[in-house]
């Protein structure tokens, strides 16, 4: 058994409220590329060319080409054991929550309840204007999209992926929900490089609240030194093993 797992299982068994913050590493076993690390997206592409409001204003076709490719990649992926275990937890206990930075919606496809999506969803679009008539966002799971760039369903202006780009603020209500979820007994930070704020600050908020904290990641991150337990192993394996120890 992975070292420390029995202790974490004991903490989880005793916990009323549990929150898991997830990042790209949770979807790695599904085949969704991560952003950092040896083969991460930001090794091959420049975030400033593809994931900023300026990049989109300059070249919406290029940005949509990249998002179209990512949508195609993600459409071929299935949730893995990490998504499944976390989804099971949220269905078993309504006070166990998942907060994710991932835009792939694999947590939703696994059946996670009350998911908090900090960075939006790659399957949702919004008007780039935004026009007064448009709903804030709409869902379109077609792969490929019939038009690239796609258009606002109401005003016809260019639509954008409803995701948070570098230099943009997170949705205030979503961030509030995430911070509310840090008021918990056990906080897990899973498969995230813990570099991008405000998400990376959630584990500190949980610790200040008094939560027991643990990290599951292939490698050490800036969060490793301050959590109570670290597991340097794949999330899909640690979580599956953990689930066998819970009632
Ligand atoms: P990163 O790509 O920065 O980090 C992925 C983390 O997952 C790394 O620390 C890996 O070591 C770890 N990892 C990889 N495979 C794993 C596995 N099977 N089990 C456990 N850990 C594994 O992804 P995020 O931290 O999610 O933002 O990135 C945060 C944000 O930066 C993203 O949401 C995105 C990106 O730029 C926006 O697009 C706004």
């Amino acid at each position: 058994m992975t070292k420390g797992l029995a202790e974490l299982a004991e903490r989880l068994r005793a916990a009323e409220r549990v929150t898991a913050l997830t990042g790209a590493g949770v979807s790695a076993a599904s085949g969704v590329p991560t952003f950092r690390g040896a083969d991460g997206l930001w090794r091959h592409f420049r975030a400033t060319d593809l994931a900023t409001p300026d990049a989109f204003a300059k070249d919406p076709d290029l940005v949509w080409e990249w998002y179209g490719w990512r949508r195609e990649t993600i459409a071929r992926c299935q949730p893995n054991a990490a998504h499944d275990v976390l989804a099971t937890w949220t269905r078993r206990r309504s006070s166990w929550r998942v907060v994710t930075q991932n835009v792939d919606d694999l947590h939703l496809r696994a059946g996670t309840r009350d998911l908090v999506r900090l960075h939006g969803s790659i399957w949702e679009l919004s008007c780039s204007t935004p026009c007064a008539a448009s709903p804030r966002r709409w869902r379109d799971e077609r792969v490929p999209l019939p038009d690239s760039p796609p258009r606002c369903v109401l005003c016809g202006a260019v639509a954008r992926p409803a995701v948070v780009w570098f230099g943009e603020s997170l949705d205030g209500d979503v961030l509030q929900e995430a911070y509310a979820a840090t008021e918990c007994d056990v906080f897990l930070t899973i498969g995230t490089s813990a570099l991008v704020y405000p998400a990376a600050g959630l584990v500190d908020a949980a610790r200040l609240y008094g939560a027991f904290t643990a990290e599951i990641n292939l490698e050490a991150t800036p969060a490793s030194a301050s959590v109570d337990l670290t597991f340097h192993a794949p999330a899909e394996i640690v979580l599956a093993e953990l689930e066998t120890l819970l009632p």
Side-chain angles (χ1 to χ4, degrees):
M1 195 208 303
T2 308
K3 194 169 167 283
L5 214 57
E7 182 185 355
L8 181 54
E10 192 52 49
R11 294 277 180 176
L12 288 170
R13 268 196 296 271
E16 173 59 31
R17 288 165 302 168
V18 173
T19 296
L21 169 70
T22 66
V26 160
S27 295
S30 298
V32 182
T34 60
F35 293 95
R36 297 169 186 82
D39 206 27
L41 290 172
W42 298 148
R43 284 278 168 106
H44 304 284
F45 303 98
R46 279 156 49 115
T48 46
D49 291 342
L50 299 165
T52 65
D54 283 352
F56 187 74
K58 201 170 123 201
D59 196 344
D61 290 333
L62 176 73
V63 172
W64 266 113
E65 200 181 313
W66 192 62
Y67 276 92
W69 169 74
R70 286 181 61 200
R71 285 165 61 104
E72 272 178 40
T73 307
I74 294 167
R76 287 195 295 268
C77 298
Q78 299 301 325
N80 65 59
H83 300 106
D84 289 341
V85 168
L86 293 172
T88 302
W89 290 357
T90 63
R91 288 197 302 265
R92 196 185 284 152
R93 304 275 295 273
S94 62
S95 53
W96 289 32
R97 306 290 305 275
V98 178
V99 176
T100 191
Q101 297 165 85
N102 299 346
V103 298
D104 57 34
D105 279 358
L106 289 182
H107 283 302
L108 282 186
R109 279 171 54 195
T112 303
R113 273 203 192 142
D114 298 328
L115 178 68
V116 179
R117 292 177 301 178
L118 287 171
H119 295 164
S121 166
I122 203 163
W123 301 112
E124 292 176 9
L125 279 63
S126 61
C127 181
S128 64
T129 332
C131 70
S134 80
R136 276 184 74 199
R137 51 186 61 200
W138 64 93
R139 204 165 174 88
D140 191 334
E141 296 185 21
R142 288 175 294 177
V143 170
L145 284 162
D147 301 312
S148 190
R151 300 272 158 186
C152 170
V153 284
L154 286 165
C155 80
V158 173
R160 57 164 284 174
V163 299
V164 178
W165 282 327
F166 290 102
E168 291 185 316
S169 302
L170 273 63
D171 180 289
D173 291 343
V174 172
L175 193 57
Q176 209 174 347
E177 254 194 283
Y179 269 99
T182 63
E183 297 186 0
C184 60
D185 305 305
V186 176
F187 186 95
L188 306 173
T189 172
I190 311 175
T192 172
S193 55
L195 289 169
V196 176
Y197 282 79
L202 294 173
V203 63
D204 299 320
R207 197 179 46 254
L208 286 176
Y209 177 78
F212 183 85
T213 55
E215 176 179 64
I216 305 170
N217 197 303
L218 292 184
E219 55 193 32
T221 76
S224 307
S226 50
V227 294
D228 296 304
L229 275 179
T230 52
F231 300 91
H232 290 159
E236 60 280 8
I237 292 179
V238 176
L239 288 172
E241 218 178 328
L242 201 50
E243 172 62 2
T244 65
L245 301 175
L246 297 176

